[in-house]
Amino acid sequence: MENLPAIEVLSLHKAFGENRAVQGVSFEVGQGEIFSLLGPNGAGKTTTISMLSCLLRPDDGDARIMGHSIRSDGNGVKSALGVVPQDIALYEDLTARENLSFWGKMYGLRGSALKKRVDEVLDIIGLRERANERVGKYSGGMKRRVNIGVALLHKPKVIYMDEPTVGIDPQSRRNILDSVVALKDQGMTVLYTTHYMEEAQELSDQIGIMDHGQMIANGTHDELVKLVGGQTRIDLTVNAEPQRILGAWQSVEGVEQASVEDEKISLLVADSNLVLPHLFEAATRQSMRITSVDIREPNLEAVFLHLTGRALRD
Amino acid sequence: MKAFDIALKDMTRSFRSFFAVVFMFGVPLMVTGMFYLMFGNIAQNGGFDLPRTAVVIANLDEGGPEFQVNPKNIPGGRAAKTMGDLVVNILQSDEMADLIEVRFAADAVSARAAVDSQQAQVALIIPPDFSEQFADIEKGKAVIEFYQDPTLTIGPAIMRSILERFMDGMSGVKIAVNVFLDDASTEDYAQTGILVQQYLDESLAQSDDVEAELLDVRTPVSAKQSQAEEKQNILLTIIGPIMGGMLVFYAFYTGTSVAQSILKEEEERTLPRLFTTPTSQATILTGKLLSVFLTVLVQVTVLLLAAHLMFGIQWGDLGAVALAAVGIILTASSFGVFVNSFLKDTKQGGVVFGGVLTVTGMMGMIKIFAMNSAIAKTMGDTVSLLVPQGWAIRGLMQAMQGEPFGAVLFTVLIALAWSAAFFIVGVLRFNRRYV
Ligand SMILES: Nc1ncnc2c1ncn2[C@@H]1O[C@H](COP(=O)(O)OP(=O)(O)OP(=O)(O)O)[C@@H](O)[C@H]1O
Ligand SMILES: [Mg+2]
């Protein structure tokens, strides 16, 4: 049991008519890890999650959740699993407590154990104080938190969160991201989907990048960044004609590429910390002033661009 | 167990919705209450009193035929010398005393003046030649002038219906008088009195209660009751069917709107979420069906009880009513499931509420909703049986009218057959939809 992967996905396929939403997706998530599925709208993230939670029957392929096959052991899968759907799925005319208590019953909790667990979850999502208000009156962020709370009730081994931070205020977003990390600390396995690369970067042990129904890359953040060569981009502007400094900067050690676009000079460098002092020295020698510096560490955005030729966000 | 949890959750939601509760309980009781107030006012003791109408009579009848009427046949037991006296005596009888308050005026002008000055609601002016006319076909019809306060409706209407009944009855006598006079070709007024006596012997004496006789359209079919109960029943024979019709109509409304929560949960995304919990599809569907059934059960029970407590409606023998209620609950909830299984989403629900429910509801209860139309009455029995509402209301009406248990049972069994068909089709369709 210990070394068994929490989630093991074996070449899942799903088509909706002509639309091949998921085409041969495979990956593995170890127990206690956070795995992010990163991809633009329509990439197939939700379809994948739906198959992994036995809501959709795959056309082909299989997956095992804590050893239970999604094809042959739906109940085993559902019991091991907490699902946070992309769309808020709560009864707005019931209070948060009533919602949690109802969903707890659907996971087989009863009586005092249920009551105790509902209180615990209310604490986790930080809504104990307002538990007796109807969910319909909550802000978007509070609803999102209850939406997550429902999936925690039966202390599942594995939890899926499908874009849980869409359209909410920074404070709720922070609360949610922190709680995801807290879940991991308690040994829970998290499958997280998002199209915010910052979230994937911050949270994940492993990241799978999806596009057009396929997993186009899969690995740790560092591994993925290496795909684009691991270079940092520095964008600078100066108080003179950019062309005058371009040659000097190009010859600084560690600058691998330099170009000018509009008034902005872009450099690709291996390590910005080593390069930046030399850039300032060169400017001073030519009696120029650097008026702005923008350092862009290598990121998943760049990886996606590199792999697909498109930006992650439309 | 989980099915009950689902049902309980749905019921909490329904009964928490102001809108739903208004339609479940408020509207049917309110509509019935409106009729209740229209047909009578609630007395302190909760009983019912028709408003007492103040009548001023100017009896100018100078007489004609000699009456030899047995006073025991005339309400009040007073002898009558003229036809006018007969009318007055009947209106002054004890049985009428609850309905009308009689005063007299010396002439037509002062009688009308009493109405104009609102001291009376109706003035009756019996012309000098009333008796004369009554016996003579050549001189035209015997006419009583009926003069009413135009701003009032109920009191004068009751008065008028009493008089019309009376005049209708008397015209029977008049025809007989004329036939007799033609045959005899003589003006033997004394014979007229004998004819009137025969009429009274036959018709009025048949019923020892004039009021009941005069208002027999509204009198209950049930056995003899005390006078107070009878008054109550006049109202209840009007209110009972209306409440029954409202109850069935809104039970179907509730059945359909609660069953719609299956579609609503799909749109709220809570249905797919339910499918991600270790709860079988059969359990989920059972829970949803249970919630429809239980909600309608609560509604029907509360409405039956409330109508009994608020309006004093007697639904009939407990066993028969319970049976009829089961028929209503099952048809209403299965109908809801059936209809919704054909809808794609709740947006199409408006069609159901506006169209299907209204049309089938009207068909089923055509007799009640179109109370006074003769066509509706004759068509009612066939048309209403084409829709489940017709069978649902039929059972309740049978219970209310005290028909034998077997008759109610038969109706309810047919209602159950409707329900079974609706449930099977609905469940199969929903099952196919979510596999
Ligand atoms: N039930 C469905 N019927 C038909 N097509 C569907 C269905 N669900 C998803 N699709 C299609 O499958 C593709 C993948 O959709 P999916 O919802 O899995 O994407 P996603 O990565 O979750 O996108 P988003 O970030 O917008 O949530 C899309 O083209 C979508 O239109
Ligand atoms: Mg999605």
Side-chain angles (χ1 to χ4, degrees):
Chain A
M1 199 69 185
E2 268 311 302
N3 41 17
L4 182 83
I7 303 172
E8 198 182 359
V9 182
L10 308 160
S11 190
L12 282 180
H13 286 80
K14 183 75 194 179
F16 298 105
E18 290 292 289
N19 182 356
R20 289 157 59 173
V22 173
Q23 317 175 37
V25 166
S26 303
F27 58 93
E28 231 181 75
V29 185
Q31 290 192 32
E33 281 185 359
I34 300 178
F35 186 99
S36 287
L37 279 177
L38 178 68
N41 291 128
K45 305 182 294 291
T46 299
T47 306
T48 304
I49 291 231
S50 297
M51 286 189 281
L52 294 181
S53 42
C54 303
L55 266 185
L56 272 181
R57 223 183 151 67
D59 296 337
D60 197 19
D62 196 357
R64 276 188 281 277
I65 315 300
M66 298 308 290
H68 304 281
S69 159
I70 58 167
R71 284 187 169 276
S72 56
D73 186 10
N75 246 2
V77 170
K78 288 174 181 178
S79 300
L81 199 61
V83 181
V84 181
Q86 175 167 0
D87 304 302
I88 291 167
L90 299 169
Y91 300 105
E92 301 230 326
D93 36 16
L94 299 183
T95 66
R97 186 182 294 281
E98 286 166 336
N99 264 286
L100 291 171
S101 163
F102 170 74
W103 290 106
K105 286 177 196 160
M106 292 302 107
Y107 281 108
L109 297 173
R110 307 258 145 210
S112 59
L114 172 65
K115 205 177 164 303
K116 183 162 159 275
R117 184 59 187 159
V118 166
D119 282 334
E120 282 170 16
V121 169
L122 282 168
D123 283 334
I124 296 172
I125 60 177
L127 287 174
R128 181 94 174 241
E129 234 90 289
R130 304 187 57 180
N132 295 326
E133 282 175 45
R134 293 191 196 178
V135 167
K137 295 203 179 128
Y138 281 0
S139 70
M142 290 162 75
K143 287 182 194 172
R144 285 267 165 215
R145 285 192 252 164
V146 181
N147 202 36
I148 292 172
V150 167
L152 306 177
L153 287 161
H154 61 302
K155 299 185 182 166
K157 291 266 188 317
V158 178
I159 182 163
Y160 301 161
M161 296 185 163
D162 195 358
E163 307 206 28
T165 59
V166 165
I168 62 173
D169 58 289
Q171 191 195 334
S172 287
R173 183 194 180 97
R174 193 66 257 157
N175 175 295
I176 288 172
L177 294 182
D178 289 346
S179 63
V180 173
V181 175
L183 293 176
K184 175 194 156 86
D185 291 344
Q186 290 160 29
M188 226 180 250
T189 306
V190 183
L191 177 59
Y192 190 97
T193 83
T194 180
H195 55 246
Y196 297 124
M197 55 145 195
E198 305 87 346
E199 286 184 5
Q201 183 170 341
E202 177 186 335
L203 294 174
S204 321
D205 298 301
Q206 298 266 333
I207 298 162
I209 299 181
M210 279 191 81
D211 191 36
H212 293 310
Q214 283 169 321
M215 185 77 90
I216 54 174
N218 175 355
T220 65
H221 179 259
D222 288 347
E223 284 166 359
L224 290 173
V225 163
K226 285 218 177 76
L227 291 175
V228 285
Q231 290 162 324
T232 301
R233 191 168 113 185
I234 307 176
D235 291 331
L236 306 107
T237 53
V238 290
N239 67 345
E241 178 58 37
Q243 291 294 342
R244 279 177 46 206
I245 191 83
L246 192 63
W249 281 355
Q250 245 166 350
S251 52
V252 169
E253 199 186 327
V255 173
E256 284 159 21
Q257 200 188 315
S259 60
V260 179
E261 197 179 295
D262 297 332
E263 293 294 282
K264 194 173 74 185
I265 305 166
S266 291
L267 308 175
L268 280 181
V269 306
D271 186 337
S272 56
N273 273 7
L274 295 179
V275 167
L276 270 170
H278 299 297
L279 299 182
F280 279 93
E281 271 168 34
T284 308
R285 272 200 299 273
Q286 300 208 12
S287 314
M288 273 186 193
R289 299 201 69 80
I290 296 176
T291 49
S292 77
V293 182
D294 190 3
I295 303 166
R296 294 167 185 254
E297 292 279 338
N299 61 26
L300 298 168
E301 176 80 52
V303 176
F304 190 81
L305 190 67
H306 172 79
L307 291 172
T308 65
R310 288 180 291 115
L312 187 53
R313 262 165 278 182
D314 346 284
Chain B
M1 191 65 193
K2 281 188 188 175
F4 270 102
D5 294 327
I6 292 172
L8 203 69
K9 176 263 303 169
D10 278 351
M11 289 172 76
T12 312
R13 297 182 76 197
S14 295
F15 291 122
R16 198 170 273 179
S17 149
F18 176 73
F19 187 79
V21 169
V22 163
F23 276 89
M24 250 185 260
F25 307 111
V27 172
L29 287 174
M30 239 169 53
V31 171
T32 309
M34 266 165 48
F35 279 95
Y36 188 80
L37 291 178
M38 239 169 77
F39 287 109
N41 37 19
I42 304 165
Q44 237 94 355
N45 59 5
F48 160 70
D49 268 323
L50 283 168
R52 237 167 140 234
T53 311
V55 184
V56 176
I57 301 174
N59 182 10
L60 310 174
D61 193 354
E62 288 162 352
E66 277 300 310
F67 280 94
Q68 298 157 6
V69 174
N70 183 352
K72 97 168 166 26
N73 281 337
I74 299 175
R78 272 163 295 195
K81 280 215 152 31
T82 65
M83 276 304 278
D85 288 344
L86 187 62
V87 173
V88 170
N89 281 352
I90 287 177
L91 292 180
Q92 267 191 311
S93 67
D94 291 343
E95 288 89 343
M96 292 290 181
D98 308 328
L99 292 172
I100 51 181
E101 188 189 314
V102 178
R103 283 187 293 128
F104 293 96
D107 53 42
V109 178
S110 54
R112 290 190 203 105
V115 173
D116 292 337
S117 62
Q118 302 201 326
Q119 281 160 3
Q121 290 155 7
V122 175
L124 289 182
I125 295 139
I126 302 170
D129 56 352
F130 187 63
S131 296
E132 195 80 32
Q133 282 185 354
F134 198 83
D136 186 356
I137 197 162
E138 246 97 283
K139 283 192 187 162
K141 293 204 295 180
V143 174
I144 294 177
E145 183 182 337
F146 185 91
Y147 185 76
Q148 75 166 86
D149 180 342
T151 60
L152 298 172
T153 47
I154 298 175
I158 289 168
M159 242 340 270
R160 187 189 247 142
S161 79
I162 292 172
L163 271 177
E164 272 167 5
R165 285 287 302 169
F166 176 76
M167 295 299 278
D168 281 354
M170 282 305 160
S171 63
V173 183
K174 191 181 166 190
I175 289 165
V177 168
N178 284 312
V179 169
F180 165 78
L181 292 178
D182 282 352
D183 283 354
S185 36
T186 165
E187 293 194 339
D188 188 356
Y189 282 160
Q191 293 299 319
T192 314
I194 297 166
L195 279 169
V196 172
Q197 174 67 58
Q198 278 169 357
Y199 173 79
L200 290 173
D201 280 344
E202 276 167 33
S203 69
L204 290 187
Q206 259 172 26
S207 142
D208 47 21
D209 189 329
V210 181
E211 187 186 326
E213 163 72 12
L214 293 177
L215 289 174
D216 71 347
V217 195
R218 297 176 181 184
T219 326
V221 281
S222 38
K224 293 199 189 286
Q225 282 126 341
S226 80
Q227 206 176 324
E229 277 173 335
E230 217 157 74
K231 233 184 306 162
Q232 180 78 358
N233 278 320
I234 293 170
L235 177 68
L236 292 186
T237 40
I238 306 169
I239 296 300
I242 291 175
M243 183 66 217
M246 286 289 132
L247 185 147
V248 170
F249 187 87
Y250 283 98
F252 273 70
Y253 181 93
T254 303
T256 308
S257 83
V258 177
Q260 196 148 84
S261 79
I262 304 178
L263 305 180
K264 195 164 157 231
E265 283 217 37
E266 197 181 355
E267 285 159 23
E268 288 175 323
R269 309 309 296 158
T270 45
L271 191 67
R273 183 169 216 167
L274 274 171
F275 289 140
T276 69
T277 67
T279 310
S280 73
Q281 179 167 334
T283 306
I284 295 169
L285 196 55
T286 307
K288 298 304 288 182
L289 297 182
L290 211 56
S291 77
V292 182
F293 174 80
L294 289 177
T295 309
V296 179
L297 175 92
V298 170
Q299 181 196 18
V300 167
T301 312
V302 168
L303 283 182
L304 285 173
L305 272 175
H308 177 71
L309 295 175
M310 289 168 70
F311 309 122
I313 295 174
Q314 301 293 335
W315 294 112
D317 173 61
L318 190 63
V321 179
L323 195 62
V326 168
I328 296 173
I329 295 161
L330 284 176
T331 42
S333 43
S334 61
F335 183 78
V337 174
F338 172 79
V339 167
N340 277 292
S341 73
F342 286 89
L343 299 184
K344 225 175 89 224
D345 50 37
T346 56
K347 285 191 212 87
Q348 296 182 337
V351 180
V352 175
F353 290 118
V356 180
L357 268 181
T358 311
V359 171
T360 55
M362 290 304 251
M363 278 171 76
M365 284 159 286
I366 190 161
K367 274 210 284 197
I368 294 164
F369 287 139
M371 271 189 298
N372 293 319
S373 128
I375 310 163
K377 261 182 192 148
T378 46
M379 258 179 37
D381 266 332
T382 36
V383 170
S384 67
L385 300 183
L386 297 177
V387 291
Q389 286 96 327
W391 291 96
I393 187 70
R394 189 188 174 92
L396 189 61
M397 295 303 227
Q398 285 174 325
M400 212 182 334
Q401 285 160 6
E403 287 191 26
F405 191 79
V408 181
L409 182 66
F410 179 73
T411 304
V412 171
L413 283 178
I414 292 180
L416 292 194
W418 279 90
S419 311
F422 284 148
F423 263 123
I424 290 167
V425 174
V427 166
L428 284 180
R429 290 186 61 89
F430 272 124
N431 239 328
R432 197 166 334 135
R433 183 170 185 150
Y434 295 120
V435 163

